[in-house]
Amino acid sequence: MDGVIGHENEELRDRVSSLEKKVQQQDDEIVCLKSALSDAIRRLAALESAPNSARAANALPSRPAIKMAARTGTTPSTGKDSGQGSSPRGSISNHQTPRQPSPSPGKGPTRSAFQSPAPMKKWPSTPSTTSGEGQATGTVGGSVDENRFPSTPSGRSNSVADGGAQKDLGVADGVLFETPYARLKEPTFNPADGCLKFYLRGRPLNFFAPTSLVGSSDYQVNQPNEAPKEKLALDWVYGYRGRDARSNIYLLPTGEVVYFIAAVVVLYNVEEQMQRHYIGHTDDVKSIAIHPDKVTVATGQVAGHDKLEGRPRKKSFEETQEPPPSRKKEKKFQPHIRIWNSISLVTLKVIGIGDFFDRAVSCLAFSKMDGGAQLVAVDEGNEHVISVWDWQKGEKGQRIVETKSSTEPVLAVEYHPCEPHTIVSCGKGQICFWKIEEGSLSRKLGVFEKYEKPKYMTCLAFAENGDVISGDSSGNLFIWGRGTNKVSQAVTGAHEGGVFSICMLKDGSIVTGGKDRKVIRWDATYKKAGQEYEIPDAYGPVRMLSQGKGNMILVGTTKNSILHGSFDLGFSPIVQGHTDELWGLATHPQQNQFLTCGYDKMLYLWDTLTHGVIWSKEMPEGCHCVTFHPEGEVALVTSCSSRWFAVELSSRDVVHSNADASERIEIAEFSLDGNMLACGSRDNNIYIYSVAEGGRKFSKIGKCTGHSSFVTHLDWSRDGQFVQSNSGDYELLYWTVATCRQVTTASSMRDVEWATQNCTLGFSVCGIWPEGADGTDVNACCRSNSEHLVASADDFGKVNLFAYPCSRPKSAGHSYIGHSSHVTNVRFIYNDGRLISTGGKDSSILQWQVVESSGY
């Protein structure tokens, strides 16, 4: 009953999520305080090391001397460049070694001081002011006068300047928002030294341009790059939402199977191996209903990103003159229903906009006896409101009636096919028979009489004679006589565990599926017909049963797989997918294949041409990152702990494992020649290994120490001599591999050629960041092998495509929706013909085709 329990505990999870966000905010405030203290210590050390004459000139008063350094944004010269893109915290690494985490007595390794306590985010952040669309806060008149409002290391303007108490940040409902004094700072470029000063959350980062741009007028920081001529077209969607959704697989007259995952509704023709996609939704699709005409489809979605996270919409400069509204929601992010044509994929109606639904639209059904003129919906609010709509009336449909259904979860709702104006719903401890009479809904609760009332009524179906058939969490089938609310017949112990789905077949027989993974056929008298099939454990319990072509049956499972087949021929998978948060993605260096791994412990090898699973392997623990050895015979997989594994692809055996790090490995990359490996960890270190036997043997060389937060991305130079890396506090540091030491003169690295561009911070990718972005808004980026394109994955469910190099801030690009959760990773396949992207919580994998604009 994992899906039912998850449904019941939705409110509890929301509260836990809210507490996690508060902890994140407090953690980030501590980081900011540490950064400010480090900056003060660095400046004091610089003043003490300055010549006596200079120190005497600034000796009295001491405070203005320090404030002047803050105003100008510079520090006294030490004869060295600070790390490129390094924060004030990063520059202190030249003077002292960052404190390393130490184990607590009697416990395992402690978490890094900068590690996020919440598993959903890859790195912590304060409440962001970016909207779900990634739009920036508009500013008028350019950047802030730094002499008046010096920036603190936290990225916020100093709230007390020259003894004043002018506040620069406002607070509405506990959420920070910008006032006119907290304008965004514009990036600046100094042609003399080729240094781009780029601001992230108000913090200055220095990126050095190639030598060819030093002293040149070719680079204009205020002229953004144009969008590339190439675009992306959604080619294939891997996965299915069966873990926590119901009644969501149907066969259309076109021969297509319709189902959903993330924000995409998939129409899959199994015989022709083709998919079409409806992408009108802005967030997770949660429910679906098919009209009696078998062409019109209704789908309901959850609340969008902003509402779930309690963020106000991004405000323009003019709007910040007054406090922002209290968490008002943009209409397109509200839970709503979309009704669309399954042939043309054209949206016919959007109903429910305007706070009609709370949290999500969890159940949908069209009426049967009047030709589908009405639509019933149930939301996931605390009172699970049931509403009936005349969806064809007006531009947005008309609500006929609504009423509070129950404080307990409602799992299914259906119109009775033989009784006019009758609706049946079921859920936790209830089955309800509703009647629409004179503009109101009246309810009768099901009476179990001599039978024990089950904890959950999980599914519904209707017999040919009009009887209602229900399944429950105890494995029983109850038959409710037509027109009554009493049990007329019971089949106890039909399944071992809950009954999750009941389906009436065209031949009049009934099939049921349940937690015991069995599909059982029953005759019209509710006796076993002698046919049953047990779904293999790899695919999980049955979630949904539906009539397929001919005598075929479609089976959706709780492990996000879809199978089709019959009792005679057996069942085979047509859709497979991950069942938990998904971060790991790697593309094969020579073939049309890619690997994914997730927190569900599963490692999948996929083929981009056949769109199928080549093989899968269950790992010892949840996985976070995966990468191919350049020879393509071995893959390295990192776990959610500190361990990593080398897996031989041909045998699927683990040929090596390691746990040198004290915390999780966030990123691992082989050098271009395959002779070296770098692993960036949440313990703030990068571990360097020599590699032999095609990725089967590893020897530790050393570790690079200097980051003041956990490592998030890294790249090798083409010659394998250097590594560049990003961290959770927005540093960009460089390392000499032979000595495992930091290159402190970042300007000396400006002309190094990098084998990949996975680092999201750097001169060549500063244009992928939206204006006003939080430092965690871009989760990953990937440069194409031809080095003409760069793709990024963001926290707003979007995949973005830019021209490379994307070295000018605010560069134009193409954005694409499909994921509902934060997009965690993107990778081009070896020939750049396709791009693969992974969702986080939505567990989806989307395959995009790279096409020319003229053919799009």
Side-chain angles (χ1 to χ4, degrees), residues 489-738:
Q489 187 177 345
V491 181
T492 57
H495 284 268
E496 297 175 8
V499 180
F500 288 166
S501 184
I502 306 171
C503 177
M504 292 293 302
L505 299 180
K506 291 183 293 186
D507 61 7
S509 61
I510 306 165
V511 289
T512 60
K515 190 175 182 179
D516 56 6
R517 296 184 283 107
K518 291 182 180 179
V519 180
I520 303 175
R521 185 192 291 270
W522 309 80
D523 61 24
T525 62
Y526 309 108
K527 294 182 179 179
K528 287 187 178 181
Q531 290 183 307
E532 64 178 64
Y533 185 91
E534 185 171 343
I535 302 297
D537 183 59
Y539 305 118
V542 176
R543 171 63 76 198
M544 170 69 180
L545 295 171
S546 185
Q547 175 74 63
K549 279 191 174 181
N551 65 344
M552 303 288 278
I553 301 172
L554 296 169
V555 182
T557 73
T558 60
K559 287 190 176 181
N560 292 353
S561 296
I562 301 177
L563 300 88
H564 75 157
S566 65
F567 290 101
D568 297 329
L569 301 176
F571 292 82
S572 59
I574 57 174
V575 175
Q576 291 179 258
H578 286 276
T579 59
D580 207 340
E581 192 162 352
L582 179 59
W583 284 90
L585 170 66
T587 51
H588 197 284
Q590 298 102 22
Q591 299 179 33
N592 291 292
Q593 297 174 359
F594 64 93
L595 280 168
T596 59
C597 63
Y599 294 175
D600 58 359
K601 303 183 182 181
M602 294 303 299
L603 175 68
Y604 285 100
L605 179 64
W606 308 83
D607 190 295
T608 63
L609 301 181
T610 63
H611 310 120
V613 175
I614 299 174
W615 55 256
S616 63
K617 176 181 176 65
E618 185 172 359
M619 300 298 292
E621 47 190 301
C623 303
H624 184 75
C625 172
V626 62
T627 187
F628 277 98
H629 185 272
E631 293 181 8
E633 297 179 356
V634 173
L636 187 134
V637 183
T638 75
S639 72
C640 292
S641 66
S642 61
R643 298 175 66 194
W644 55 263
F645 309 91
V647 179
E648 188 176 56
L649 301 184
S650 58
S651 64
R652 293 174 244 174
D653 294 332
V654 175
V655 295
H656 186 91
S657 65
N658 186 287
D660 287 331
S662 60
E663 295 189 48
R664 183 177 73 198
I665 300 296
E666 285 285 335
I667 182 67
E669 292 290 339
F670 287 96
S671 61
L672 193 60
D673 60 10
N675 294 328
M676 305 286 283
L677 170 70
C679 297
S681 172
R682 290 191 75 89
D683 64 12
N684 306 353
N685 300 315
I686 300 174
Y687 297 82
I688 306 296
Y689 301 87
S690 64
V691 183
E693 298 180 12
R696 297 170 178 83
K697 187 176 181 181
F698 300 83
S699 299
K700 182 180 176 182
I701 294 177
K703 68 178 179 180
C704 304
T705 301
H707 273 298
S708 50
S709 185
F710 56 91
V711 183
T712 58
H713 307 88
L714 61 83
D715 297 290
W716 283 89
S717 62
R718 287 192 179 277
D719 57 13
Q721 295 184 21
F722 303 101
V723 167
Q724 66 174 353
S725 58
N726 292 157
S727 64
D729 58 348
Y730 326 131
E731 292 178 321
L732 171 58
L733 301 183
Y734 300 95
W735 312 89
T736 301
V737 174

Side-chain angles (χ1 to χ4, degrees), residues 1-11 13 242-246 286 380 384 408-412 426-430 454-459 471-474 498-501 515 542-543 558:
M1 298 301 296
D2 51 344
V4 177
I5 294 173
H7 188 109
E8 181 182 11
N9 293 333
E10 183 68 31
E11 183 176 358
R13 289 198 297 269
R243 183 182 58 174
D244 61 349
R246 300 164 183 275
K286 193 65 183 290
E380 280 191 355
H384 300 281
E408 302 292 353
V410 176
L411 304 180
C426 68
K428 183 179 180 180
Q430 59 178 299
K455 185 175 181 180
Y456 288 92
M457 303 295 290
T458 54
C459 53
D472 64 40
S473 55
S474 300
V499 180
F500 288 166
S501 184
K515 190 175 182 179
V542 176
R543 171 63 76 198
T558 60

Side-chain angles (χ1 to χ4, degrees), residues 337-414:
I337 302 167
R338 290 180 174 265
I339 301 173
W340 46 280
N341 185 292
S342 63
I343 297 176
S344 63
L345 302 182
V346 172
T347 301
L348 305 176
K349 292 287 177 64
V350 179
I351 64 176
I353 294 291
D355 294 325
F356 286 100
F357 302 113
D358 191 11
R359 294 183 182 170
V361 181
S362 59
C363 302
L364 283 173
F366 282 102
S367 57
K368 308 292 194 301
M369 295 193 68
D370 58 2
Q374 294 181 356
L375 179 70
V376 62
V378 181
D379 70 13
E380 280 191 355
N382 293 333
E383 295 170 331
H384 300 281
V385 173
I386 181 171
S387 56
V388 178
W389 298 76
D390 184 346
W391 67 271
Q392 294 173 312
K393 193 169 186 177
E395 294 182 359
K396 301 179 181 179
Q398 181 179 7
R399 184 175 56 184
I400 300 172
V401 62
E402 73 168 20
T403 188
K404 298 174 183 177
S405 172
S406 170
T407 57
E408 302 292 353
V410 176
L411 304 180
V413 66
E414 292 287 346

Side-chain angles (χ1 to χ4, degrees), residues 814-829:
H814 307 297
S815 294
Y816 301 91
I817 59 175
H819 292 286
S820 58
S821 176
H822 47 281
V823 186
T824 54
N825 216 334
V826 285
R827 287 291 183 269
F828 287 94
I829 65 169

